[in-house]
Amino acid sequence: MTALCQTRLMAEIRVAQLSDTHFLEDGEEAEGGAAYDTDAAFEAVYDSMRDLEDDLDLVVVTGDVADHGRAGQYRKAAEAFNRFAVPVNACPGNHDFVTPFSAGIGRLGVSTSRVIEIGDWAFVFVDSSAGVMSPDSSGLTVDPPGETRLHNNGNLGAAEAAWVRQICESVTVPHVFIWLHHPPGPPLPLCYDEDYAAEWRAVVPDLPNLRGMAGGHTHVPDHYEFEGVPVFVAGSFKNSFSMEPQQWLPPAYRTYVFSDDGTVTSENHFAADNDELWPRRPFGRTLKSLFMGEINYDQLREIVAQRQAAD
Ligand SMILES: [Fe+2]
């Protein structure tokens, strides 16, 4: 490492965040439909990141790595992430089941570490679905059967909350940044869970070294404040949306600059426009009603089926 590079590393850390990559194996159907080709999305994002990569210290992936949490999907994701020249670290989302995620992602350079210290910063990786986990007959903490994990909007749980407090108290660097799948209190009713927001409201004020948080889950690139802390949200490779104006967006990712004075800046980026794969088409009242929490997924599917029957 040159002296110039070392000086930059200590003063300024540069990270790219991918989220909600939702990898599928060849021929598999996406959960819920209405999905982009996530292999093509990865290629487009990877191309878009080529000019940035020389300046990056780390790539972070904030969950929903695989669409169905299957081993083959993690193999594919790991091979894709392994193409980055810098280390990649991932935490799980609600589409990720913990055992296949942990067993399937690890490669040299692709990890699932829970704390990574770089310069003056500690990056803490939280499982924001940890509250749905329960012990099996051996005492091992495992995912619950069925789709409980898949259909949650964030559930931190007492043990994960205690772990976050313990780690933030124990790190020896001045600044902490939390990476997780579910951003707390997102301004999108479909993805807002009051119990989950309350869990973080009880934790954040006790973390004086916390400088920010970043997640995904909503598939709507955004940033806002929660309990005085900046929260950044990355888009998705499966489908990304804008609420203002209401339209579909290309696959998206974010970049971050962490300074040694504790400030964080972040920018949203899109893969190149492609009118066949991800046109920026406006969406109508039904999808807006879903995002605004006026209808649920079952009602959306019913409306779509009625329309198709009428055509
Ligand atoms: Fe997702």
Side-chain angles (χ1 to χ4, degrees):
M1 184 182 285
T2 66
L4 183 65
C5 187
Q6 197 161 26
T7 303
R8 185 189 69 71
L9 181 70
M10 295 309 292
E12 223 170 48
I13 297 155
R14 293 175 188 267
V15 176
Q17 179 200 13
L18 317 182
S19 196
D20 298 76
T21 51
H22 288 274
F23 277 95
L24 292 166
E25 284 195 279
D26 294 348
E28 285 182 318
E29 290 283 320
E31 191 267 338
Y36 303 151
D37 175 337
T38 47
D39 290 350
F42 179 83
E43 291 302 329
V45 166
Y46 188 77
D47 275 353
S48 164
M49 290 174 65
R50 267 177 207 279
D51 292 342
L52 300 170
E53 212 190 343
D54 285 348
D55 281 336
L56 289 177
D57 297 297
L58 178 70
V59 173
V60 163
V61 188
T62 49
D64 283 6
V65 170
D67 202 42
H68 305 98
R70 294 177 186 149
Q73 297 171 349
Y74 292 112
R75 194 175 312 115
K76 196 168 191 181
E79 283 164 9
F81 299 155
N82 225 188
R83 291 166 59 188
F84 290 109
V86 294
V88 177
N89 198 69
C91 62
N94 48 294
H95 280 245
D96 298 309
F97 293 93
V98 165
T99 301
F101 169 82
S102 302
I105 275 276
R107 298 288 186 282
L108 269 179
V110 181
S111 57
T112 56
S113 297
R114 304 211 63 202
V115 183
I116 296 178
E117 191 178 301
I118 312 180
D120 282 342
W121 288 81
F123 293 152
V124 177
F125 293 80
V126 172
D127 180 0
S128 55
S129 300
V132 304
M133 307 284 283
S134 56
D136 69 6
S137 57
S138 73
L140 181 69
T141 302
V142 296
D143 282 306
E147 299 194 333
T148 304
R149 183 172 180 113
L150 179 66
H151 296 301
N152 89 85
N153 260 336
N155 189 331
L156 192 60
E160 190 76 354
W163 179 83
V164 170
R165 288 172 192 273
Q166 184 187 61
I167 290 297
C168 290
E169 280 171 18
S170 304
V171 295
T172 55
V173 289
H175 312 304
V176 169
F177 192 86
I178 288 177
W179 301 97
L180 76 181
H181 182 64
H182 298 90
L188 190 73
L190 174 67
C191 298
Y192 184 94
D193 184 289
E194 175 51 30
D195 290 343
Y196 177 63
E199 287 183 293
W200 278 110
R201 257 184 236 118
V203 172
V204 168
D206 295 339
L207 311 177
N209 50 3
L210 180 64
R211 308 291 176 238
M213 308 171 85
H217 185 59
T218 66
H219 296 202
V220 176
D222 203 357
H223 60 93
Y224 59 94
E225 280 210 355
F226 179 84
E227 294 293 305
V229 169
V231 178
F232 303 97
V233 184
S236 165
F237 291 25
K238 182 172 181 175
N239 42 44
S240 281
F241 303 94
S242 157
M243 298 304 292
E244 292 287 345
Q246 291 166 22
Q247 64 176 28
W248 296 63
L249 294 172
Y253 63 101
R254 299 194 75 96
T255 52
Y256 295 80
V257 177
F258 296 87
S259 302
D260 59 3
D261 65 358
T263 56
V264 188
T265 56
S266 176
E267 195 179 340
N268 181 65
H269 306 262
F270 294 109
D273 277 292
N274 185 316
D275 286 343
E276 276 178 33
L277 294 176
W278 36 77
R280 292 182 186 241
R281 64 184 197 273
F283 57 78
R285 214 173 41 205
T286 310
L287 198 48
K288 187 189 175 197
S289 295
L290 179 74
F291 284 128
M292 298 313 288
E294 294 157 3
I295 59 171
N296 60 32
Y297 281 109
D298 288 341
Q299 290 166 312
L300 175 73
R301 275 190 277 272
E302 209 173 293
I303 292 166
V304 170
Q306 280 170 1
R307 280 185 190 157
Q308 285 169 344
D311 286 344

